[in-house]
Every structure is written in structure tokens, then in C-alpha cells.
Amino acid sequence: MPIPGNVERFHCEGEGMRLLLCALPLCAHGFYLPGVAPRDYAPGERVELKVNKLTSTKTQLPYEYYSLPFCQPSTVENVAENLGEVLRGDRIMNSNYELKMGVEETCKILCRKELTNTEVKEFTTRIEEDYRVHWVMDNLPSATKYVDETNPNKPITIYDLGFPLGFRGSTDIPNTKEGVSYLNNHLLITVKYHKDQSFEGARIVGFEVEPSSIEHEYSQPWKGTETALKTCGGSAGSAKPLAMNKPGEVIFTYDVKWEDTKDIKWATRWDTYLLMGDEQIHWFSIINSLMIVLFLSGMVAMIMMRTLHRDFNRYNAAEVSDDVEEETGWKLVHGDVFRPPKAGMMLSVFVGTGVQLMAMAVITMIFAVLGFLSPANRGGLMTAMLLLFVFMGVPAGYSSAYLHKTLKGVEWKKNIILTSCLFPGSVFFVFFILNFFVWGEKSSGAVPFGTMFALLLLWFGISVPLVFLGSYFGYRRKNVDFPVRINQIPRQVPEQVWYMQPAFSIIVGGVLPFGAVFIELFFILSSIWLHQFYYVFGFLLLVFIILIITCAEITVVMCYFQLCAEDYHWWWRAFLTSGSSAGYMFAYSVFYFFTKLEITKFVSALLYFGYMGVAALTFFLLTGTIGFYACYIFVWKIFSAIKVD
């Protein structure tokens, strides 16, 4: 991707923005995003290699790197973490790998360990569960390079995050036995760097690890890291793999290779990780969604331009004419259409929470599109979402309180408490229960109680007071005057045909909003549960806009049909029509679980369905609120345009 401005001269190679602001004069003095400024290494300068965690798509339970008996430095130091990193299970620590810029190493000994039977079983278990090791160097995650040669004319290079902890023996792998686990104890670390006249030293632009398993041998007495190993150099390829079937000696070694690359610059070094997906599929998703929007827009245009226009002419002409014409259609329910619904308290609470989620989602995506929440900023996305949800308590309280007042509600204290506590409390309860199971598995994904307390502090210390503040302004706002009067006696709703029954219309109404997003949903689920990077926030913002339009249009169409059938109970129906798309979302997540994932553990399955249930609830409140406000505006507009005695 071309970068505007003289990047090399102004040093505007900032990760994430890429750099949107480099075209501005401001960039002449240098513009860097916090924590992602380039670092220049002098020849021979130490390059710190940090260890992160072990992950597996089979268990979904991350573990600290040093939870296994790897070589440890004399003092293990935790790198500063943000809230998002803690919730993701990241535990970044120092290591005793010695890397110096431009200095290559061959078969350098890291340490020798005598593994006990218990430690061997720990390694074996993690290898059987397909765990991968994750490291960090200069804010770049480690990756393993594979070459897909299925097409001989155009081989494709594929990068996977991390590297395998080990492998299972088979008849296809030389010198291995079926069913035996082998540990990758020798690593080829390839570091790519870039040099340029515009800066001194070198910048790291790539970090690859190629693992292998070697049962090291040596003839002389052990002399620590100075010991000469016989299984290095040219003989390494024919060495026996290191089997994890009995206690004994394990020697951890590594090679270091440095590659000077001209093609990759510091500003584009993340492309290796971000080009793992296929943008054509994202475009297909956008086109698919646009087709749905065009179809719905056509229906809405037909209703607005033809049917409604004809209705207005007929109703208003009947008022002018001396002839008495019997009222028909949606005008019949004018005296009941704004009658407060049952459970108006819960409707206002749901709508208020939906507004909070909508504000959080929109602001998060804007920041993500601008590059502030790029993968280079680990944990930044989750931290931003949490903080924005907390600070969006003001619009939540305002929307909930004003709607509650509009629906003639009087229990304002109950409304404020439910708005500030019902959804966050439900999510926190699920999170707290699941955390106990993760903690029982001794996973690094278990959130410490200190972090739990911090979350409670954010909730009760910031979010709840802000909801109270928003509610204060909502209740102080002047009472709304409906365009038509409400009759004292409710009108009887005639018997509805089967396709206008609430259950059927709600179920049908959720199909199109889900259809607009389900392709993008596949990528989001893959990024969460298959540990892939999700970075196409521009596509996501487009899909989100299409989702808003789809939810609004399908709700308006269904609401019009409902009013024409003389059914004025539209308040909850409007919320549930678009909100029912969350049911399809959860059903799709069940399908994804059985077709794409290989989860076998009970705790892992519990985590999956627990968190997907929370995601479906969030989607329900978000889409339901969009549909409700679209229908509310629609009903207000059409009944404002007719004359009623």
C-alpha cells in the first residue's frame, strides 16, 4: 500500500495508521502512535526476545509459557500489560535467548534440563492437544512459514502465528513411532531487518521460527553452553527426533539467522500477518449484503412512494369531502397506536442498553478504521471496547429514562438500576462462572481477582454514575406530545391471518439482517476461536452500516403490514423483529462449532457457548434497538401526516 508523503524523510512509518496523517504538514515533525514508534538497532546490539503464551484451537485455553519446564532466566519479569491483554490471556515475560543484531548463531545451547516423569507427561499432553508457542520480538509476533505447492505454477507462502510445541509420530515421518509425542527443542530463528539511509542502524521487519526435534548427543563432559554437540550442523538433518516417552535429558538449542530485506519496510511489516485472509471473500460479503439492502430498499420505496402516498390521499380526501367514508387500513388504529405496551419498563431498559452498545460499536469501529486499534497494539481493541461501553452510560441512561417517561412509567429508580445493572450484571455473572472453570484448568486465560475488582470498579464507579447522569437529563426533558390522541378504551385487535402472527413475523424478520452479516461473521469467529488476526475494519464498518439499514427497513416493512392488519401492538414487535437475527447468529455459532472447530473438552465447549451466548445477547439488544427506533420514527411520521378528528 503506498504511503503518502516522504515517509523515509519524515519517519512517518507508524504501524496501524499507515499513515493517514502523513500527508499533513504536522508529520514533518514526526507522528507516532503510542507504543509503536520504530526502533533502530545498531550492529551487535541486543535484541530482546520475549515469550508470551501457549495456545490451542482444540482447547481454547491459553497457558503461560513457563507453565511448562522450559529454560527460564534467573529472574522472570512480567512485561506491563493492559486490561485487554489480561482478558485475552497474554502473559508476556522475558527470556534468556541471546540475540544480537546481525550476529548469526549455529546450534547455540540455551540450557540442559533433566525432565521428570511428570514434566514429560506435561509436554506430551500439550503436544497431543496441538499447542503452539507464541513469542514477541520488537512488538512482532512469531510466525511459522509454510509454502503451499498445490499449484506448481504459483506456490503460495502461508504464515501461521506461533510455532508448534511438538508433533505426533507417524509412519510418514522418518525415525518416529506411531502415537509417540516429539518435542521441538531446536529452533531456527530468522529475523528480517531493513536498512535505509534515512535512519541509522536497522529495523526489524520480520520474525520467523522454524522448529525441529533433535535428540542431541555429545562426547565430551558437559561444559554448559560451551559443550560441543555432535548433532549440529550437517548432521542435524539425520539426527533422531526427541521422543517424550520417558524421563531424561533435554537440551534446548537454537540457530539465529539474519536477512537483510529491501522489499519489506517497517511501515509494511505487518502485511505478512494481515494478508492471511482473502479480500475477495470480503468483497463478496459486501456485495451479498448490498443485494439484500437493495431488495429491501425497493420494498420500502414501493410502500412509501405508492402505498403510503395513496393512503394519505384517500384519508385526507375523505376529511375534505362531505361523503362519509368508512375508515380502513392503518388509520383505524390511530387511537391506540401510541398506547404504552405491556412491560414498558423492560422495553426502555433494553433500548437504553442497545443505545449504549451502538455508541460503543460505532466509536470503536471508527478508531479501528483509523488504525488506532491495529493488531500492533495488543489488547487495544478489547480495552477500548470495555472503556467505551463504560463511558457510554450517559446516552444509555438518557435513552432509557426518556422512553420510560414517554411510556408513562413512574418507577424511575427501578429504571435507572435496571439500565445500569441488568446487561452488565448478566455478562459479569456468565464471565465470573466461566472464569472459575478456566481457573480450575490453571490456564492463563483465568482473569485474576485483582482484574475482576478493577472491572467492578469500572462498572460501579464510572458506568453506574454515568447512567444516573444520563437518566437525570432524560427525565428532565419535556413530555412528548404524540401526533394523535390515545383512546381511553383499547380497541380490539381482529383475528390475524397465520402469516401475520407475532411469532411468524418475528422469526421471518430476523432472516435478512442475519443474511447481511453472516459471511463477515465467519471471519470474526475464525479470528476469535482459530487465533487469527482480524484487521479488515473497513469492511466491517461497511457491513455494520448495511446491517443498520437492513434492520431499519425490514422492521418498517413488517410494521406497516402489521398496522394495515389493524394490530397496534408494534412496540415490542418492532424490537423483536430485527432482534430475532441474534437467534440465527447463535444457531450459526452452533453450526460453526461442529463443522470448523475440533473442541473436545467440556470446559472449552462451555467457554465457547457461554461467550457466544453473550455475543448473541449483545447482538439482540443492538439490532433490536435499531429496529425499534426505525419503527418509532416511521409510525410517528405517518400518523403526523393524516388528519384525525
Side-chain angles (χ1 to χ4, degrees):
M1 176 179 177
I3 304 172
N6 191 332
V7 174
E8 299 302 330
R9 185 160 57 93
F10 294 135
H11 300 284
C12 282
E13 294 182 296
E15 277 172 322
M17 288 287 289
R18 271 299 247 271
L19 268 152
L20 188 63
L21 301 179
C22 273
L24 302 176
L26 184 74
C27 252
H29 302 287
F31 176 83
Y32 299 122
L33 292 180
V36 290
R39 177 173 176 181
D40 304 334
Y41 291 91
E45 183 180 351
R46 186 175 186 273
V47 178
E48 189 174 5
L49 191 156
K50 302 170 186 174
V51 296
N52 187 355
K53 60 184 177 181
L54 309 167
T55 63
S56 168
T57 56
K58 284 189 175 181
T59 67
Q60 301 297 332
L61 295 169
Y63 288 92
E64 291 182 6
Y65 180 79
Y66 292 125
S67 64
L68 290 178
F70 287 113
C71 305
Q72 293 189 21
S74 55
T75 304
V76 177
E77 299 174 355
N78 286 305
V79 179
E81 299 167 337
N82 57 43
L83 185 59
E85 284 183 287
V86 175
L87 296 176
R88 279 162 33 105
D90 287 349
R91 300 293 185 269
I92 302 175
M93 305 173 186
N94 61 324
S95 72
N96 52 0
Y97 283 89
E98 291 285 341
L99 280 80
K100 296 179 181 179
M101 173 57 68
V103 179
E104 299 199 345
E105 303 281 359
T106 302
C107 206
K108 187 170 183 178
I109 297 174
L110 185 66
C111 76
R112 180 182 68 163
K113 299 204 66 136
E114 286 288 338
L115 298 185
T116 64
N117 197 43
T118 303
E119 292 172 331
V120 168
K121 287 182 179 179
E122 289 177 355
F123 272 122
T124 301
T125 302
R126 297 290 176 253
I127 293 171
E128 290 175 352
E129 293 172 340
D130 285 348
Y131 269 85
R132 297 181 69 85
V133 181
H134 296 271
W135 288 350
V136 178
M137 178 189 295
D138 194 49
N139 203 41
L140 275 182
S142 56
T144 309
K145 182 170 70 174
Y146 302 97
V147 179
D148 183 3
E149 297 180 346
T150 51
N151 185 357
N153 298 325
K154 191 179 180 181
I156 301 173
T157 303
I158 303 172
Y159 288 87
D160 279 350
L161 285 177
F163 57 91
L165 175 64
F167 60 92
R168 299 281 286 172
S170 69
T171 53
D172 299 330
I173 305 175
N175 301 323
T176 64
K177 295 181 181 179
E178 187 82 31
V180 176
S181 296
Y182 294 86
L183 175 67
N184 287 328
N185 63 320
H186 180 77
L187 306 170
L188 170 58
I189 302 170
T190 302
V191 185
K192 297 181 179 180
Y193 62 94
H194 174 71
K195 287 185 176 182
D196 197 272
Q197 295 179 353
S198 60
F199 56 87
E200 297 180 358
R203 294 176 178 177
I204 294 176
V205 295
F207 178 28
E208 300 171 6
V209 179
E210 182 182 333
S212 55
S213 180
I214 300 176
E215 187 176 332
H216 284 299
E217 298 177 2
Y218 54 95
S219 55
Q220 300 174 354
W222 180 255
K223 298 178 182 177
T225 57
E226 303 299 323
T227 306
L229 301 177
K230 297 196 298 183
T231 46
C232 281
S235 59
S238 59
K240 287 173 54 180
L242 180 62
M244 290 285 100
N245 53 3
K246 60 182 179 180
E249 180 185 71
V250 174
I251 300 175
F252 291 92
T253 56
Y254 62 99
D255 299 339
V256 181
K257 182 181 176 184
W258 298 86
E259 289 185 5
D260 186 0
T261 174
K262 304 296 183 184
D263 300 331
I264 306 174
K265 296 184 179 180
W266 194 87
T268 59
R269 64 179 190 162
W270 275 88
D271 288 0
T272 298
Y273 304 91
L274 303 185
L275 295 178
M276 296 178 186
D278 189 350
E279 288 193 3
Q280 291 183 353
I281 300 177
H282 290 283
W283 279 117
F284 174 74
S285 170
I286 298 294
I287 294 170
N288 169 71
S289 303
L290 283 174
M291 292 299 103
I292 294 174
V293 167
L294 289 175
F295 168 71
L296 274 176
S297 299
M299 291 185 64
V300 172
M302 183 179 66
I303 290 173
M304 296 292 187
M305 301 300 294
R306 297 183 58 187
T307 314
L308 270 177
H309 186 67
R310 188 175 64 244
D311 291 343
F312 290 148
N313 291 337
R314 188 173 77 251
Y315 293 152
N316 293 329
E319 295 291 335
V320 177
S321 175
D322 294 332
D323 300 331
V324 178
E325 182 179 335
E326 184 181 356
E327 291 183 347
T328 57
W330 51 267
K331 186 181 178 182
L332 281 173
V333 298
H334 66 81
D336 298 274
V337 72
F338 288 106
R339 186 179 302 281
K342 295 180 180 178
M345 171 72 77
M346 291 307 300
L347 179 61
S348 61
V349 170
F350 282 7
V351 169
T353 306
V355 169
Q356 188 174 11
L357 292 169
M358 168 70 80
M360 176 201 73
V362 170
I363 297 174
T364 300
M365 273 189 274
I366 290 173
F367 275 102
V369 168
L370 291 175
F372 287 100
L373 302 177
S374 70
N377 185 10
R378 284 187 306 275
L381 180 63
M382 187 171 291
T383 305
M385 290 177 66
L386 274 172
L387 294 179
L388 283 171
F389 179 81
V390 167
F391 287 109
M392 290 303 108
V394 173
Y398 179 85
S399 306
S400 179
Y402 186 62
L403 180 59
H404 182 244
K405 184 180 181 181
T406 301
L407 299 179
K408 313 302 179 187
V410 292
E411 299 177 282
W412 61 273
K413 293 180 182 177
K414 184 178 179 182
N415 174 265
I416 295 173
I417 293 172
L418 286 176
T419 304
S420 60
C421 297
L422 184 60
F423 175 73
S426 303
V427 173
F428 188 83
F429 176 76
V430 174
F431 180 70
F432 188 75
I433 297 299
L434 293 177
N435 195 60
F436 265 112
F437 285 95
V438 179
W439 179 68
E441 295 287 333
K442 299 180 180 179
S443 167
S444 65
V447 177
F449 284 102
T451 306
M452 284 283 193
F453 180 75
L455 292 174
L456 288 173
L457 194 63
L458 284 173
W459 177 12
F460 289 107
I462 301 178
S463 181
V464 173
L466 289 178
V467 172
F468 269 78
L469 179 63
S471 299
Y472 171 77
F473 290 109
Y475 282 116
R476 278 179 59 91
R477 184 175 169 181
K478 183 183 175 182
N479 281 330
V480 63
D481 294 323
F482 292 123
V484 290
R485 292 193 303 270
I486 301 173
N487 294 336
Q488 292 184 350
I489 302 174
R491 176 186 177 87
Q492 185 176 0
V493 178
E495 186 176 349
Q496 301 291 301
V497 293
W498 65 271
Y499 53 83
M500 288 307 299
Q501 293 292 332
F504 182 81
S505 61
I506 288 171
I507 291 173
V508 169
V511 174
L512 291 179
F514 171 74
V517 300
F518 86 97
I519 297 178
E520 204 63 30
L521 180 63
F522 170 80
F523 291 102
I524 295 172
L525 291 179
S526 297
S527 70
I528 296 172
W529 302 107
L530 296 179
H531 306 146
Q532 299 175 3
F533 279 125
Y534 187 87
Y535 65 97
V536 284
F537 294 108
F539 285 107
L540 184 61
L541 183 60
L542 283 175
V543 171
F544 187 70
I545 293 171
I546 291 171
L547 173 68
I548 293 173
I549 297 171
T550 307
C551 287
E553 290 183 341
I554 190 64
T555 309
V556 166
V557 169
M558 300 302 289
C559 183
Y560 176 77
F561 291 152
Q562 178 188 352
L563 294 176
C564 287
E566 301 178 24
D567 183 358
Y568 55 85
H569 300 297
W570 62 271
W571 298 88
W572 271 108
R573 185 90 70 92
F575 191 93
L576 297 174
T577 296
S578 53
S580 64
S581 57
Y584 293 97
M585 173 185 169
F586 188 77
Y588 180 78
S589 69
V590 175
F591 171 79
Y592 185 88
F593 178 85
F594 288 106
T595 56
K596 299 296 181 182
L597 301 180
E598 300 177 358
I599 293 176
T600 54
K601 276 190 164 186
F602 169 75
V603 173
S604 304
L606 190 67
L607 280 177
Y608 179 84
F609 288 109
Y611 287 132
M612 289 311 301
V614 169
L617 175 62
T618 304
F619 196 68
F620 167 72
L621 295 172
L622 181 65
T623 54
T625 300
I626 296 169
F628 170 81
Y629 274 118
C631 194
Y632 183 77
I633 295 170
F634 171 74
V635 172
W636 189 285
K637 291 292 184 183
I638 64 172
F639 281 96
S640 299
I642 62 171
K643 299 175 183 178
V644 179
D645 294 332

